[in-house]
């Protein structure tokens, strides 16, 4: 039987955000063994509502972990009101998509990379959850399988949508969105995470060089044919 579509509308969105926030808090406090009943109680909703929105614990886990990476990158608030969702304000991704011409695109992507780096380095809670993921996935392999099956573009839809929009406007040539998302994260985001995850300090000078060179490499790879 086909799964029911998730509820939609502003009220449903608020409930979904509350569920993701509750799951994130409980995962941090109690690990991934926490039950859906506890998550529902923490979110102030029924267990049926949790399943209506996510269908399974694996799907909820995927939403939480995607939010940990995407929240600093898409303008998501830290207070749970917009967890893992674009805010609708003039976010860095919005400015990037609106760039006019190659030079504006390069400048916008460089500014975006800088903002992402600062956000990732300042996100202590996200760092704690990433550590938890690394330490507990061997106990809950089904969660890891659900995360991997979602695919890079599905895990990071805001970034994937931005790259598609730039490609549609002829500013980039992106034959494989999933690969492009991973390459962009690998150049601009993952180095920041690797340094802080191992307790090392990424200096401002090195962070700047990583962003500037990373943007140069990414745009050279995905420049449209002249």
């Amino acid at each position: 039987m086909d799964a029911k579509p998730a509820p939609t509308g502003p009220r449903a969105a608020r409930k979904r955000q509350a569920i993701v926030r509750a799951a994130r808090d409980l995962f941090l406090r109690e690990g991934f063994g926490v039950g859906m009943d506890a998550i529902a109680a923490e979110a102030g909703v029924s267990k049926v509502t949790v399943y209506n929105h996510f269908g399974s614990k694996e799907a909820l886990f995927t939403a939480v972990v995607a939010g940990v990476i995407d929240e600093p990158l898409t303008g998501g608030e830290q207070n749970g009101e917009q967890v893992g969702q674009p805010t609708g304000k003039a976010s860095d991704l919005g400015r990037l998509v609106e760039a006019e011409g190659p030079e504006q695109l390069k400048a916008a992507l460089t500014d975006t990379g800088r903002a992402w780096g600062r956000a990732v380095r300042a996100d202590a809670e996200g760092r704690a959850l990433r550590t938890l993921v690394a330490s507990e996935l061997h106990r809950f392999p089904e969660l890891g399988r659900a995360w991997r099956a979602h695919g890079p573009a599905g895990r990071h839809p805001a970034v994937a949508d931005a790259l598609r929009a730039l490609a549609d406007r002829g500013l980039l040539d992106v034959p494989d969105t999933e690969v492009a998302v991973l390459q962009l994260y690998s150049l601009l985001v993952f180095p920041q995470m690797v340094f802080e995850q191992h307790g090392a300090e990424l200096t401002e000078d090195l962070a700047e060089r990583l962003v500037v060179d990373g943007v140069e490499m990414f745009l050279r790879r995905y420049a449209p044919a002249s």
Side-chain angles (χ1 to χ4, degrees):
M1 183 169 60
D2 293 337
K4 290 173 57 179
T8 59
R11 186 166 178 267
R14 288 192 295 272
K15 286 188 176 183
R16 182 181 180 89
Q17 290 157 12
I19 294 166
V20 173
R21 176 79 257 180
R24 178 170 170 162
D25 289 346
L26 282 173
F27 285 158
L28 281 170
R29 294 204 306 263
E30 302 181 22
F32 295 138
V34 66
M36 295 290 261
D37 287 317
I39 293 171
E42 182 86 1
V45 301
S46 70
K47 186 176 178 181
V48 170
T49 297
V50 176
Y51 278 103
N52 284 343
H53 279 274
F54 294 97
S56 67
K57 186 176 180 180
E58 290 79 11
L60 177 55
F61 164 81
T62 297
V64 170
V65 179
V68 171
I69 297 178
D70 279 351
E71 184 178 314
L73 313 186
T74 60
E77 300 292 337
Q78 298 292 330
N79 61 8
E81 293 176 10
Q82 295 284 348
V83 173
Q85 300 290 334
T87 62
K89 296 183 285 191
S91 67
D92 295 298
L93 285 177
R95 289 170 36 227
L96 175 64
V97 171
E98 293 167 2
E100 297 289 344
E103 290 305 313
Q104 281 194 19
L105 175 59
K106 182 176 181 179
L109 188 54
T110 301
D111 287 344
T112 299
R114 289 173 181 141
W116 285 358
R118 288 193 297 269
V120 167
R121 293 196 298 275
D123 185 15
E125 189 177 276
R127 182 161 56 248
L129 190 50
R130 288 193 297 275
T131 299
L132 179 66
V133 170
S135 65
E136 286 219 334
L137 274 184
H138 71 285
R139 296 175 55 208
F140 304 97
E142 69 279 7
L143 300 182
R145 286 193 292 269
W147 169 245
R148 291 190 296 271
H150 211 45
R155 292 196 297 262
H156 314 298
V159 177
D161 287 347
L163 294 182
R164 291 189 190 100
L166 289 166
D168 289 344
R169 294 178 55 217
L171 291 175
L172 295 176
D173 181 8
V174 184
D176 189 329
T177 303
E178 289 199 337
V179 169
V181 169
L182 284 175
Q183 288 176 335
L184 184 62
Y185 272 64
S186 296
L187 291 166
L188 302 184
V189 179
F190 293 159
Q192 316 277 349
M193 292 181 174
V194 168
F195 267 77
E196 47 87 2
Q197 202 72 25
H198 291 86
E201 180 181 357
L202 186 64
T203 66
E204 289 296 326
D205 177 67
L206 180 54
E208 176 69 7
R209 284 152 47 205
L210 283 168
V211 169
V212 170
D213 285 355
V215 167
E216 185 73 31
M217 285 188 281
F218 186 82
L219 292 180
R220 190 176 300 170
R221 165 63 183 87
Y222 289 104
S226 54

